[in-house]
Amino acid sequence: MTVTPCEDGPLLVRGPFELMTQDGEPIAPGRETVALCRCGLSAQKPFCDGSHKTAGFRAPSSPRSTPRPAG
């Protein structure tokens, strides 16, 4: 499985994966690649419906900085 954060958009999940609710109930993805909402505005959560475009959601596709090792 791979998870790819799209700049200013959703998380793309590709490959074999299981999607579950926080209560452990399965969510049928309906396909092998899904776009998961990252902006919180989708009417089809957890899936992306493109709401991020009209809302002006901004997020990079990579971390802004490299986390420092603990210690």
Side-chain angles (χ1 to χ4, degrees):
M1 167 185 58
T2 61
V3 178
T4 306
C6 296
E7 185 173 348
D8 303 334
L11 297 173
L12 293 183
V13 182
R14 295 179 177 100
F17 63 89
E18 289 184 59
L19 196 56
M20 308 282 255
T21 67
Q22 65 183 13
D23 296 326
E25 297 295 320
I27 299 172
R31 56 187 63 148
E32 286 187 29
T33 299
V34 297
L36 298 178
C37 178
R38 202 160 54 136
C39 74
L41 299 172
S42 174
Q44 298 177 7
K45 289 182 194 87
F47 305 106
C48 175
D49 68 359
S51 294
H52 60 276
K53 294 176 188 175
T54 57
F57 176 74
R58 298 285 177 252
S61 66
S62 60
R64 293 187 190 269
S65 63
T66 305
R68 295 182 185 154

Coordinates of all heavy atoms in Angstrom, one line a residue:
M1 N 0.9 -1.2 0.0 CA 0.0 0.0 0.0 C 0.9 1.2 0.0 O 1.9 1.3 0.7 CB -0.9 0.0 1.2 CG -1.6 1.3 1.4 SD -2.6 1.5 2.9 CE -1.4 1.2 4.2
T2 N 0.5 2.3 -0.7 CA 1.1 3.6 -0.6 C 0.1 4.6 -0.3 O -1.1 4.5 -0.7 CB 1.8 3.9 -2.0 OG1 0.9 4.0 -3.0 CG2 2.9 2.9 -2.3
V3 N 0.5 5.6 0.4 CA -0.3 6.8 0.7 C 0.4 8.0 0.2 O 1.6 8.3 0.6 CB -0.6 6.9 2.2 CG1 -1.4 8.2 2.5 CG2 -1.2 5.7 2.8
T4 N -0.2 8.8 -0.7 CA 0.4 9.9 -1.3 C -0.4 11.2 -1.0 O -1.5 11.3 -1.4 CB 0.5 9.8 -2.8 OG1 1.2 8.5 -3.1 CG2 1.3 10.9 -3.5
P5 N 0.2 12.1 -0.2 CA -0.5 13.4 0.0 C -0.4 14.2 -1.2 O 0.7 14.5 -1.7 CB 0.2 14.0 1.2 CG 1.4 13.1 1.5 CD 1.4 12.0 0.6
C6 N -1.5 14.7 -1.7 CA -1.5 15.5 -2.9 C -1.5 17.0 -2.5 O -2.2 17.4 -1.5 CB -2.8 15.3 -3.8 SG -2.8 13.7 -4.5
E7 N -0.6 17.8 -3.1 CA -0.5 19.2 -2.7 C -1.9 19.8 -2.8 O -2.6 19.7 -3.9 CB 0.5 19.9 -3.6 CG 0.7 21.4 -3.2 CD 1.8 22.0 -3.9 OE1 2.5 21.4 -4.6 OE2 1.9 23.3 -3.8
D8 N -2.3 20.5 -1.8 CA -3.6 21.2 -1.7 C -4.8 20.3 -2.0 O -5.9 20.7 -2.4 CB -3.7 22.4 -2.7 CG -2.6 23.4 -2.4 OD1 -2.1 23.5 -1.3 OD2 -2.2 24.1 -3.4
G9 N -4.7 19.0 -1.7 CA -5.7 18.0 -2.0 C -5.8 16.8 -1.1 O -5.3 16.9 0.1
P10 N -6.3 15.7 -1.5 CA -6.6 14.6 -0.7 C -5.3 13.7 -0.5 O -4.3 13.9 -1.0 CB -7.6 13.8 -1.5 CG -7.2 14.1 -2.9 CD -6.8 15.5 -2.9
L11 N -5.5 12.6 0.3 CA -4.5 11.6 0.4 C -4.9 10.5 -0.5 O -6.1 10.0 -0.5 CB -4.5 11.0 1.8 CG -4.1 12.0 3.0 CD1 -4.3 11.3 4.3 CD2 -2.7 12.4 2.8
L12 N -4.1 10.1 -1.5 CA -4.4 9.0 -2.4 C -3.8 7.7 -1.7 O -2.6 7.6 -1.4 CB -3.7 9.2 -3.7 CG -4.3 10.3 -4.5 CD1 -3.6 10.4 -5.9 CD2 -5.8 10.2 -4.7
V13 N -4.7 6.7 -1.6 CA -4.3 5.4 -1.0 C -4.4 4.4 -2.2 O -5.5 4.2 -2.7 CB -5.2 5.0 0.2 CG1 -4.8 3.7 0.8 CG2 -5.2 6.1 1.2
R14 N -3.3 3.7 -2.4 CA -3.2 2.7 -3.5 C -2.7 1.4 -3.0 O -1.9 1.3 -2.1 CB -2.2 3.2 -4.6 CG -2.6 4.4 -5.3 CD -1.6 4.7 -6.4 NE -2.0 5.9 -7.2 CZ -1.5 7.1 -7.0 NH1 -0.6 7.4 -6.0 NH2 -1.9 8.1 -7.7
G15 N -3.3 0.3 -3.5 CA -2.8 -1.0 -3.2 C -3.8 -1.7 -2.2 O -4.8 -1.1 -1.9
P16 N -3.4 -2.9 -1.8 CA -4.3 -3.6 -0.8 C -4.4 -2.9 0.5 O -3.3 -2.6 1.1 CB -3.7 -5.0 -0.7 CG -2.6 -5.0 -1.6 CD -2.3 -3.7 -2.1
F17 N -5.6 -2.5 1.0 CA -5.7 -1.9 2.3 C -7.1 -2.2 2.8 O -8.0 -2.6 2.1 CB -5.5 -0.4 2.2 CG -6.5 0.3 1.3 CD1 -7.7 0.8 1.8 CD2 -6.3 0.5 -0.1 CE1 -8.6 1.4 1.0 CE2 -7.2 1.1 -0.9 CZ -8.4 1.5 -0.4
E18 N -7.3 -1.9 4.1 CA -8.6 -2.0 4.8 C -8.9 -0.6 5.3 O -8.0 0.0 5.9 CB -8.5 -3.0 5.9 CG -8.5 -4.5 5.5 CD -8.6 -5.4 6.7 OE1 -9.6 -5.4 7.4 OE2 -7.6 -6.1 6.9
L19 N -10.1 -0.2 5.2 CA -10.6 1.1 5.7 C -11.6 0.8 6.7 O -12.5 0.0 6.5 CB -11.1 1.9 4.5 CG -11.4 3.4 4.7 CD1 -10.1 4.1 5.1 CD2 -11.9 4.0 3.4
M20 N -11.4 1.3 7.9 CA -12.3 1.0 9.1 C -12.8 2.3 9.7 O -12.1 3.3 9.7 CB -11.6 0.2 10.1 CG -10.9 -1.0 9.6 SD -12.0 -2.3 9.3 CE -11.6 -3.4 10.7
T21 N -14.0 2.3 10.3 CA -14.4 3.4 11.2 C -13.6 3.3 12.5 O -12.9 2.3 12.8 CB -15.9 3.3 11.5 OG1 -16.1 2.1 12.4 CG2 -16.8 3.2 10.3
Q22 N -13.7 4.3 13.3 CA -13.0 4.3 14.6 C -13.6 3.2 15.5 O -12.9 2.9 16.5 CB -13.1 5.7 15.3 CG -14.5 6.1 15.7 CD -14.5 7.5 16.3 OE1 -13.5 8.3 16.2 NE2 -15.6 7.9 16.9
D23 N -14.7 2.7 15.2 CA -15.3 1.6 16.0 C -15.0 0.3 15.5 O -15.5 -0.8 16.0 CB -16.8 1.8 16.1 CG -17.3 3.1 16.8 OD1 -16.6 3.5 17.7 OD2 -18.3 3.7 16.4
G24 N -14.1 0.2 14.4 CA -13.7 -1.1 13.9 C -14.6 -1.6 12.8 O -14.4 -2.8 12.4
E25 N -15.6 -0.9 12.4 CA -16.5 -1.3 11.3 C -15.8 -1.1 9.9 O -15.3 0.0 9.7 CB -17.8 -0.6 11.4 CG -18.6 -0.8 12.6 CD -19.0 -2.3 12.8 OE1 -19.4 -2.9 11.8 OE2 -18.9 -2.8 13.9
P26 N -15.9 -2.1 9.1 CA -15.3 -1.9 7.7 C -16.0 -0.9 6.9 O -17.2 -0.8 7.0 CB -15.3 -3.3 7.1 CG -16.3 -4.1 7.9 CD -16.4 -3.4 9.2
I27 N -15.3 -0.1 6.1 CA -15.8 0.8 5.1 C -15.4 0.3 3.8 O -14.2 0.1 3.5 CB -15.3 2.2 5.3 CG1 -15.6 2.8 6.7 CG2 -15.8 3.2 4.2 CD1 -15.0 4.1 7.0
A28 N -16.4 0.0 2.9 CA -16.1 -0.6 1.6 C -15.5 0.6 0.7 O -16.3 1.5 0.4 CB -17.3 -1.2 1.0
P29 N -14.3 0.5 0.2 CA -13.7 1.5 -0.6 C -14.3 1.6 -2.0 O -14.3 2.6 -2.6 CB -12.2 1.2 -0.6 CG -12.1 -0.2 -0.4 CD -13.3 -0.6 0.5
G30 N -14.7 0.4 -2.5 CA -15.3 0.4 -3.9 C -14.3 0.3 -5.0 O -14.7 0.2 -6.1
R31 N -13.0 0.5 -4.7 CA -12.0 0.4 -5.7 C -10.6 0.2 -5.0 O -10.5 0.3 -3.8 CB -12.0 1.7 -6.5 CG -11.8 2.9 -5.7 CD -12.0 4.2 -6.6 NE -13.3 4.2 -7.1 CZ -14.1 5.2 -7.3 NH1 -13.6 6.4 -7.1 NH2 -15.3 5.1 -7.8
E32 N -9.6 0.0 -5.9 CA -8.2 -0.3 -5.3 C -7.5 1.0 -5.0 O -6.6 1.0 -4.2 CB -7.4 -1.1 -6.3 CG -7.8 -2.5 -6.4 CD -6.9 -3.3 -7.3 OE1 -5.7 -3.0 -7.4 OE2 -7.3 -4.3 -7.9
T33 N -7.9 2.1 -5.6 CA -7.3 3.4 -5.3 C -8.4 4.4 -4.8 O -9.4 4.5 -5.5 CB -6.6 4.0 -6.5 OG1 -5.5 3.1 -6.9 CG2 -6.0 5.4 -6.2
V34 N -8.2 5.0 -3.7 CA -9.2 5.9 -3.2 C -8.5 7.3 -2.8 O -7.3 7.3 -2.5 CB -9.9 5.4 -1.9 CG1 -10.7 4.2 -2.3 CG2 -9.0 5.2 -0.8
A35 N -9.3 8.3 -2.8 CA -8.8 9.6 -2.4 C -9.5 9.9 -1.1 O -10.8 10.0 -1.0 CB -9.2 10.7 -3.4
L36 N -8.8 10.1 0.0 CA -9.3 10.4 1.3 C -9.3 11.9 1.6 O -8.2 12.5 1.4 CB -8.6 9.6 2.4 CG -8.6 8.1 2.3 CD1 -7.8 7.5 3.4 CD2 -10.1 7.6 2.3
C37 N -10.3 12.4 2.1 CA -10.4 13.9 2.4 C -9.4 14.3 3.5 O -9.2 13.6 4.5 CB -11.8 14.2 3.0 SG -12.1 15.9 3.5
R38 N -8.7 15.4 3.2 CA -7.8 15.9 4.1 C -8.2 17.3 4.6 O -7.7 17.8 5.6 CB -6.4 16.1 3.4 CG -5.2 16.1 4.3 CD -3.9 15.8 3.6 NE -3.6 16.5 2.4 CZ -2.3 17.0 2.2 NH1 -1.4 16.9 3.1 NH2 -2.1 17.5 1.1
C39 N -9.2 17.9 3.9 CA -9.6 19.3 4.3 C -10.7 19.3 5.4 O -11.0 20.3 6.0 CB -10.0 20.1 3.1 SG -11.6 19.6 2.4
G40 N -11.4 18.2 5.5 CA -12.5 18.1 6.4 C -13.9 18.5 5.9 O -14.9 18.6 6.7
L41 N -14.0 19.0 4.7 CA -15.2 19.5 4.1 C -16.0 18.6 3.2 O -17.1 19.0 2.8 CB -14.9 20.8 3.4 CG -14.2 21.9 4.2 CD1 -13.7 23.1 3.4 CD2 -15.1 22.4 5.3
S42 N -15.5 17.5 2.9 CA -16.2 16.6 2.0 C -17.6 16.1 2.5 O -17.7 15.8 3.7 CB -15.3 15.3 1.8 OG -16.1 14.4 1.0
A43 N -18.5 16.0 1.7 CA -19.8 15.5 2.0 C -19.9 14.0 1.9 O -20.8 13.4 2.3 CB -20.9 16.1 1.1
Q44 N -18.8 13.4 1.5 CA -18.7 11.9 1.3 C -17.6 11.4 2.2 O -16.9 10.4 1.9 CB -18.4 11.6 -0.1 CG -19.4 12.0 -1.1 CD -19.1 11.7 -2.5 OE1 -18.1 11.1 -2.8 NE2 -19.9 12.2 -3.4
K45 N -17.3 12.0 3.4 CA -16.2 11.5 4.2 C -16.3 10.0 4.5 O -17.4 9.5 4.6 CB -16.3 12.3 5.6 CG -15.9 13.7 5.5 CD -15.9 14.3 6.9 CE -15.8 15.8 6.9 NZ -17.1 16.5 6.7
P46 N -15.2 9.3 4.5 CA -13.9 9.8 4.5 C -13.3 10.1 3.1 O -12.1 10.4 3.0 CB -13.1 8.7 5.2 CG -13.8 7.4 4.7 CD -15.3 7.9 4.7
F47 N -14.1 9.9 2.1 CA -13.6 10.1 0.7 C -13.7 11.6 0.3 O -14.5 12.3 0.7 CB -14.5 9.2 -0.2 CG -14.5 7.8 0.2 CD1 -15.6 7.2 0.7 CD2 -13.3 7.0 0.0 CE1 -15.6 5.9 1.1 CE2 -13.3 5.7 0.4 CZ -14.5 5.1 1.0
C48 N -12.8 11.9 -0.6 CA -12.7 13.3 -1.1 C -13.8 13.5 -2.2 O -14.1 12.6 -3.0 CB -11.3 13.5 -1.8 SG -11.1 15.1 -2.6
D49 N -14.5 14.7 -2.1 CA -15.5 15.0 -3.1 C -15.1 16.3 -3.9 O -15.9 16.8 -4.7 CB -16.8 15.1 -2.5 CG -17.0 16.3 -1.6 OD1 -16.0 17.1 -1.4 OD2 -18.1 16.5 -1.1
G50 N -13.8 16.7 -3.7 CA -13.4 17.9 -4.4 C -13.7 19.2 -3.7 O -13.3 20.3 -4.2
S51 N -14.2 19.2 -2.5 CA -14.6 20.4 -1.7 C -13.4 21.3 -1.4 O -13.5 22.5 -1.3 CB -15.3 20.1 -0.4 OG -16.5 19.5 -0.7
H52 N -12.2 20.7 -1.3 CA -11.0 21.4 -1.0 C -10.7 22.5 -2.1 O -10.1 23.5 -1.8 CB -9.8 20.5 -0.9 CG -9.5 19.7 -2.2 ND1 -10.1 18.5 -2.5 CD2 -8.7 19.9 -3.2 CE1 -9.7 18.1 -3.6 NE2 -8.8 18.9 -4.1
K53 N -11.1 22.3 -3.3 CA -10.8 23.2 -4.4 C -11.6 24.5 -4.1 O -11.0 25.6 -4.2 CB -11.2 22.6 -5.7 CG -10.4 21.5 -6.1 CD -10.9 20.9 -7.4 CE -10.2 19.5 -7.7 NZ -10.8 18.9 -8.9
T54 N -12.9 24.5 -3.9 CA -13.7 25.7 -3.7 C -13.4 26.4 -2.3 O -13.6 27.5 -2.2 CB -15.2 25.4 -3.8 OG1 -15.6 24.4 -2.9 CG2 -15.5 25.0 -5.2
A55 N -12.9 25.6 -1.3 CA -12.6 26.1 0.0 C -11.3 26.8 0.1 O -11.0 27.4 1.1 CB -12.7 25.0 1.0
G56 N -10.4 26.5 -0.9 CA -9.1 27.1 -0.9 C -8.2 26.4 0.1 O -7.2 27.0 0.6
F57 N -8.4 25.1 0.3 CA -7.6 24.3 1.2 C -6.1 24.3 0.7 O -5.9 24.2 -0.5 CB -8.1 22.9 1.3 CG -7.3 21.9 2.1 CD1 -7.3 22.0 3.5 CD2 -6.5 21.0 1.5 CE1 -6.5 21.2 4.2 CE2 -5.7 20.1 2.2 CZ -5.7 20.2 3.6
R58 N -5.2 24.5 1.6 CA -3.8 24.5 1.3 C -3.0 23.6 2.2 O -3.2 23.6 3.4 CB -3.1 25.9 1.4 CG -3.8 26.9 0.5 CD -3.3 26.7 -1.0 NE -3.9 27.6 -1.9 CZ -4.8 27.3 -2.8 NH1 -5.2 26.0 -2.8 NH2 -5.3 28.2 -3.6
A59 N -2.2 22.7 1.6 CA -1.4 21.8 2.4 C -0.3 21.2 1.4 O -0.6 21.0 0.2 CB -2.2 20.6 2.9
P60 N 0.9 21.1 1.9 CA 2.0 20.6 1.0 C 1.8 19.1 0.8 O 1.1 18.5 1.5 CB 3.2 21.0 1.8 CG 2.8 20.9 3.2 CD 1.4 21.5 3.2
S61 N 2.6 18.6 -0.2 CA 2.6 17.2 -0.4 C 3.7 16.5 0.4 O 3.7 15.3 0.4 CB 2.7 16.8 -1.9 OG 4.0 17.2 -2.4
S62 N 4.5 17.3 1.0 CA 5.6 16.7 1.8 C 5.7 17.5 3.1 O 5.2 18.6 3.2 CB 6.9 16.8 1.1 OG 7.3 18.1 0.8
P63 N 6.3 16.9 4.1 CA 6.5 17.7 5.4 C 7.2 19.0 5.2 O 8.1 19.1 4.4 CB 7.3 16.7 6.3 CG 7.2 15.4 5.6 CD 7.0 15.6 4.2
R64 N 6.8 20.0 5.9 CA 7.5 21.3 5.8 C 8.9 21.3 6.4 O 9.8 22.0 6.0 CB 6.7 22.4 6.6 CG 5.4 22.6 5.9 CD 4.7 23.8 6.5 NE 3.3 23.9 6.1 CZ 3.0 24.7 5.0 NH1 3.9 25.3 4.3 NH2 1.7 24.7 4.6
S65 N 9.1 20.4 7.4 CA 10.5 20.3 8.0 C 10.7 18.9 8.4 O 9.7 18.1 8.6 CB 10.6 21.2 9.2 OG 9.7 20.9 10.2
T66 N 11.9 18.5 8.5 CA 12.3 17.1 8.9 C 12.2 17.0 10.4 O 12.9 17.8 11.1 CB 13.6 16.7 8.4 OG1 13.7 16.9 7.0 CG2 14.0 15.3 8.7
P67 N 11.4 16.1 11.0 CA 11.4 15.9 12.4 C 12.8 15.6 13.0 O 13.5 14.9 12.4 CB 10.4 14.8 12.6 CG 9.7 14.6 11.4 CD 10.6 15.1 10.3
R68 N 13.1 16.2 14.1 CA 14.4 15.9 14.8 C 14.2 14.6 15.6 O 13.2 14.4 16.2 CB 14.8 17.0 15.7 CG 15.0 18.3 14.9 CD 15.5 19.4 15.8 NE 15.6 20.6 15.1 CZ 15.5 21.8 15.6 NH1 15.2 22.0 16.9 NH2 15.6 22.9 14.8
P69 N 15.3 13.8 15.7 CA 15.2 12.6 16.5 C 15.1 13.0 18.0 O 15.6 14.0 18.4 CB 16.6 11.9 16.3 CG 17.2 12.6 15.1 CD 16.5 13.9 14.9
A70 N 14.4 12.1 18.7 CA 14.2 12.4 20.1 C 15.5 12.1 20.9 O 16.3 11.3 20.5 CB 13.1 11.5 20.7
G71 N 15.7 12.9 22.0 CA 16.9 12.6 22.8 C 17.9 13.6 22.7 O 18.7 14.1 22.9

